[in-house]
Amino acid sequence: MSEIFANLPYVKYEGPESQNPFAFKFYDADRIVLGKPMKEHLHFAMAWWHNMCATGTDMFGVGTADKSFGAVPGTMEHAYAKVDAGFEFMEKLGVDYFCFHDVDLVPEAETIAETNRRLDEITDYILEKMQKTGKKCLWGTANMFGNPRFANGAGSSNSVDVFCFAAAQVKKALDMTVKLGGKGYVFWGGREGYETLWNTDMKLEQENIAALMHMAVDYGRSIGFDGDFYIEPKPKEPMKHQYDFDAATAIGFLKQYGLDKDFKINVEANHATLAGHTFQHELRVSAINGMLGSIDANQGDLLLGWDTDEFPSNVYETTACMYEILKAGGLKNGGFNFDAKTRRPSYTYDDMFYAFILGMDSFALGLLNAARIIEDGRIDGFVAERYAGYETELGRKIRSGKATLTELAARAEEMGKPAMPGSGKQEYLHSIINQLMLKN
Ligand code: XUL
Ligand code: CO
């Protein structure tokens, strides 16, 4: 096997002053932050689809990047070449995990039996590589949106036959995830939504999605999958409306259908902004419900408004993200999957390296900043103080659900009028964040 990225080096930490484009400026894997090495806080993962498969095709033009890795695309030889390239890439960047869809790994065949045989073959090879390199699988998933059979959805399809096909893919993708030791299984509802309500039985579709998820839980647990299932919310694109609109909607759905013990949320930054939320909002909603599972680490472009899947560079965002994660006690089975692609004009192997260096440095900075914000204590102290009234006897009574309207109304009358609730001090707090962030 010849090196694919032969002209590219093993990327090392050189510090903030380095001008070496192939060095980390902030990601220092063994540096201890809040008692743990950076690499333990930040389980970075490579998304097989963007990194090993995507060539930059868009609706206006063909690909610009060559991802053939010396083989003919669409062949098993190419599937093997992608594994070789992927593992070399992860080794050179110090990325310890990967995520995959079934069809990222092998070309789909005419029959599901042959596709599954190919998947068995390639996962044998991946497993061999994992044993040699120590690389790990973060999560697996099935692509139930690309093939024309999923035009009307998978779990939400009007066709029972398509539903069966989706079930077969989920079953196989779970088998592979378990075989590769993955601790997560993702449902991104790519076409689980609608284009027009005039042809849609929304109730039936949502019940069927839940049924498919229940089958996945039953089957997964029966073959020893002890990790987390995830819903990855996204409001739109490719469909006009997707049922997993945002974290709050997905959590409501999981609770309604009794799936909340087995599922958590995989929060993707660019999906958050498509839903009209901040990334931090989606993380907070997931965390307060005990469902912060994993992260698809990317960012969108607010001026474009579609799912651009850019590599994260906005340190304000990564700081807010890491603050939420640290406050939630970290990610248990999850990690930071770069569901991100280089821009179409960035089509060289060098660009693939720059992209990961950018993403990993952005999250390292976010981690350092968030740790500093927590250690500084002014933000958390202010929030605690802001709600201190709920630590009084009456406050506790309200919180425990023991107070009555009658009792509180009597107290309000006694008071005459309440004091002002206290300044929210937003400007002051934002200036603290800037002060702490710019100390780097
Ligand atoms: C699509 C997306 C997917 C999921 C996995 O927007 O984010 O790549 O992460 O299916
Ligand atoms: Co994603």
Side-chain angles (χ1 to χ4, degrees):
M1 184 200 79
S2 59
E3 264 185 86
I4 306 265
F5 305 104
N7 300 326
L8 290 160
Y10 283 79
V11 178
K12 301 264 177 289
Y13 171 74
E14 288 187 5
E17 305 304 325
S18 168
Q19 297 206 0
N20 175 0
F22 294 104
F24 295 117
K25 319 299 181 297
F26 303 101
Y27 179 64
D28 182 5
D30 295 318
R31 176 168 171 185
I32 304 293
V33 182
L34 296 179
K36 267 204 313 200
M38 266 193 183
K39 64 172 181 240
E40 295 305 326
H41 284 282
L42 299 168
H43 286 171
F44 290 124
M46 177 187 86
W48 210 270
W49 52 104
H50 283 314
N51 213 48
M52 307 328 298
C53 310
T55 58
T57 312
D58 67 16
M59 57 267 256
F60 301 102
V62 297
T64 52
D66 180 3
K67 299 266 174 91
S68 59
F69 305 120
V72 179
T75 62
M76 277 305 276
E77 189 202 356
H78 185 228
Y80 279 92
K82 287 196 290 186
V83 177
D84 290 338
F87 277 81
E88 187 191 329
F89 186 86
M90 287 189 277
E91 291 231 87
K92 288 198 159 163
L93 267 304
V95 171
D96 288 337
Y97 293 82
F98 63 89
C99 299
F100 69 95
H101 301 86
D102 44 6
V103 303
D104 303 337
L105 302 182
V106 297
E108 210 177 339
E110 281 303 310
T111 64
I112 195 156
E114 172 56 15
T115 305
N116 286 351
R117 196 203 56 73
R118 292 179 184 179
L119 288 169
D120 288 341
E121 189 185 322
I122 207 71
T123 46
D124 282 348
Y125 188 53
I126 292 176
L127 205 51
E128 222 177 87
K129 288 277 196 182
M130 289 170 70
Q131 277 150 5
K132 275 194 201 131
T133 60
K135 300 297 170 199
K136 291 174 262 200
C137 170
L138 187 68
W139 52 255
T141 187
N143 179 325
M144 305 197 294
F145 44 88
N147 191 289
R149 64 179 165 268
F150 296 121
N152 297 349
S156 66
S157 179
N158 57 303
S159 156
V160 173
D161 288 354
V162 171
F163 191 97
C164 291
F165 223 99
Q169 278 186 246
V170 171
K171 178 171 180 283
K172 188 66 188 174
L174 274 164
D175 287 337
M176 291 191 288
T177 303
V178 170
K179 177 172 172 180
L180 300 178
K183 289 287 176 204
Y185 185 87
V186 165
F187 281 89
W188 169 56
R191 296 191 197 269
E192 312 289 38
Y194 60 81
E195 292 293 342
T196 171
L197 280 175
W198 293 108
N199 69 8
T200 299
D201 185 338
M202 188 191 270
K203 185 162 186 287
L204 178 145
E205 291 197 0
Q206 295 203 0
E207 286 171 359
N208 282 357
I209 294 169
L212 183 62
M213 288 179 176
H214 270 292
M215 291 179 221
V217 171
D218 291 347
Y219 181 74
R221 298 307 183 211
S222 81
I223 58 166
F225 177 65
D226 59 1
D228 293 315
F229 289 88
Y230 304 119
I231 282 187
E232 183 179 318
K234 184 176 181 182
K236 59 188 170 194
E237 200 193 307
M239 299 303 261
K240 172 174 115 162
H241 177 91
Q242 282 164 220
Y243 295 133
D244 303 326
F245 190 94
D246 61 1
T249 311
I251 291 167
F253 173 88
L254 291 171
K255 288 190 173 163
Q256 182 182 354
Y257 291 106
L259 289 156
D260 51 310
K261 299 283 172 290
D262 294 283
F263 273 77
K264 290 191 164 79
I265 303 296
N266 184 38
V267 180
E268 176 163 325
N270 202 166
H271 296 179
T273 47
L274 286 177
H277 302 310
T278 60
F279 185 23
Q280 186 178 16
H281 168 95
E282 288 294 83
L283 293 162
R284 181 76 63 94
V285 169
S286 304
I288 63 171
N289 284 284
M291 287 206 188
L292 182 50
S294 199
I295 308 291
D296 268 13
N298 63 13
Q299 71 183 29
D301 185 321
L302 295 180
L303 297 181
L304 295 177
W306 68 83
D307 197 15
T308 54
D309 282 347
E310 296 175 26
F311 274 83
S313 62
N314 182 331
V315 176
Y316 208 92
E317 292 280 298
T318 58
T319 299
C321 170
M322 292 315 300
Y323 174 80
E324 296 300 326
I325 289 173
L326 290 174
K327 295 293 284 184
L331 300 174
K332 190 167 156 263
N333 289 322
F336 298 80
N337 169 44
F338 287 115
D339 190 356
K341 56 192 175 204
T342 53
R343 301 298 82 204
R344 191 166 181 271
S346 305
Y347 51 80
T348 69
Y349 286 167
D350 289 18
D351 293 309
M352 291 167 69
F353 275 58
Y354 297 148
F356 271 70
I357 292 168
L358 170 68
M360 291 162 79
D361 269 344
S362 298
F363 270 93
L365 274 171
L367 172 64
L368 293 169
N369 289 334
R372 194 173 302 122
I373 291 166
I374 289 168
E375 278 171 337
D376 174 86
R378 278 176 289 171
I379 297 285
D380 291 336
F382 178 79
V383 175
E385 182 56 35
R386 190 159 183 245
Y387 297 93
Y390 288 94
E391 295 302 326
T392 62
E393 200 187 329
L394 181 60
R396 283 176 199 273
K397 202 170 175 190
I398 293 171
R399 300 218 67 210
S400 64
K402 294 199 178 109
T404 65
L405 282 186
T406 309
E407 169 188 12
L408 298 185
R411 156 123 183 166
E413 270 181 41
E414 242 169 63
M415 235 186 305
K417 84 176 188 193
M420 282 291 283
S423 166
K425 296 198 182 176
Q426 180 169 326
E427 298 75 10
Y428 168 60
L429 298 173
H430 286 192
S431 79
I432 292 177
I433 300 284
N434 277 356
Q435 179 196 15
L436 294 172
M437 279 184 49
L438 297 174
K439 262 188 183 175
N440 293 304

